[in-house]
Amino acid sequence: MRRLLFKNLVRRPVTEAPPARDDAALAALAAEVDRAARRRLGRSLAIREVDAGSCNGCELEIHALNNAFYDLERFGLRFVASPRHADVLLVTGPVTKNMQEALSRTYRATPDPKWVVAVGDCAANGGIFAGSYAVTGGVSNVVPVDLHVPGCPPNPMELLTGLLALLQA
Ligand code: SF4
């Protein structure tokens, strides 16, 4: 026991190093998204996240947009609790059959004009869950998709770049 305690004291942590912080690039990208949203909508962008059966890896990256590191609200981007208040649906996961109806209803509840962003490889075509009896195989099989952000999972900067591409389209 003593040996284990000593080993843990001198051993380096087994976790990965945090990503390098590039505040200037983040601020420039988030400000650009905010400018594009105001040009297109006349206000900031409201985002509703829908987990349609993901492994939660994509959610961790989406949640990171709100943490103290990225802190997106300072740029006027905000996540909303209801699709009725949203401009964009960020949808993750291969859309399990249990979530199919919920996703359709969420889409119908979102006011026009609205965009759907499929986040992650599973949302594009089922990803590692493709072929399972329990999934529909991608968001576009259930609701129209305007943009796909690839990755497993995509990181916060890639998510922001995707939102910007959407607003500039
Ligand atoms: S794309 Fe990867 S991280 Fe995202 S839900 Fe699928 S398996 Fe999980």
Side-chain angles (χ1 to χ4, degrees), residues 54-58 93 120-122 128-129 151-153:
S54 92
C55 74
N56 274 356
C58 286
D121 293 346
C122 292
I128 57 171
F129 304 104
C152 183

Side-chain angles (χ1 to χ4, degrees), residues 70-129:
Y70 290 99
D71 191 16
L72 270 210
E73 289 229 2
R74 70 192 149 132
F75 302 116
L77 305 174
R78 66 207 158 85
F79 284 87
V80 292
S82 165
R84 295 188 195 286
H85 303 153
D87 305 303
V88 179
L89 296 179
L90 279 190
V91 188
T92 63
V95 191
T96 58
K97 292 200 172 147
N98 284 346
M99 279 300 293
Q100 188 173 356
E101 179 62 23
L103 178 59
S104 297
R105 285 191 196 185
T106 303
Y107 180 79
R108 290 198 299 271
T110 309
D112 291 323
K114 57 191 163 197
W115 295 283
V116 176
V117 179
V119 173
D121 293 346
C122 292
N125 55 18
I128 57 171
F129 304 104

Side-chain angles (χ1 to χ4, degrees), residues 2-167:
R2 217 182 296 163
R3 216 168 59 188
L4 182 66
L5 278 173
F6 180 72
K7 247 169 69 185
N8 283 340
L9 278 175
V10 295
R11 195 166 56 188
R12 293 181 51 189
V14 291
T15 51
E16 288 176 18
R21 198 182 167 112
D22 188 351
D23 280 345
L26 171 64
L29 187 53
E32 188 55 40
V33 174
D34 190 37
R35 261 197 304 279
R38 284 176 197 282
R39 235 185 351 257
R40 191 89 186 251
L41 303 166
R43 56 179 164 72
S44 58
L45 195 69
I47 304 163
R48 168 75 181 151
E49 205 271 336
V50 182
D51 177 349
S54 92
C55 74
N56 274 356
C58 286
E59 271 65 35
L60 288 175
E61 298 300 314
I62 291 171
H63 291 173
L65 288 170
N66 261 341
N67 70 16
F69 190 88
Y70 290 99
D71 191 16
L72 270 210
E73 289 229 2
R74 70 192 149 132
F75 302 116
L77 305 174
R78 66 207 158 85
F79 284 87
V80 292
S82 165
R84 295 188 195 286
H85 303 153
D87 305 303
V88 179
L89 296 179
L90 279 190
V91 188
T92 63
V95 191
T96 58
K97 292 200 172 147
N98 284 346
M99 279 300 293
Q100 188 173 356
E101 179 62 23
L103 178 59
S104 297
R105 285 191 196 185
T106 303
Y107 180 79
R108 290 198 299 271
T110 309
D112 291 323
K114 57 191 163 197
W115 295 283
V116 176
V117 179
V119 173
D121 293 346
C122 292
N125 55 18
I128 57 171
F129 304 104
S132 161
Y133 68 91
V135 305
T136 62
V139 179
S140 62
N141 292 333
V142 182
V143 295
V145 170
D146 299 287
L147 181 82
H148 172 231
V149 182
C152 183
N155 66 38
M157 292 296 270
E158 289 166 339
L159 291 168
L160 266 184
T161 307
L163 286 174
L164 183 58
L166 185 74
L167 289 166

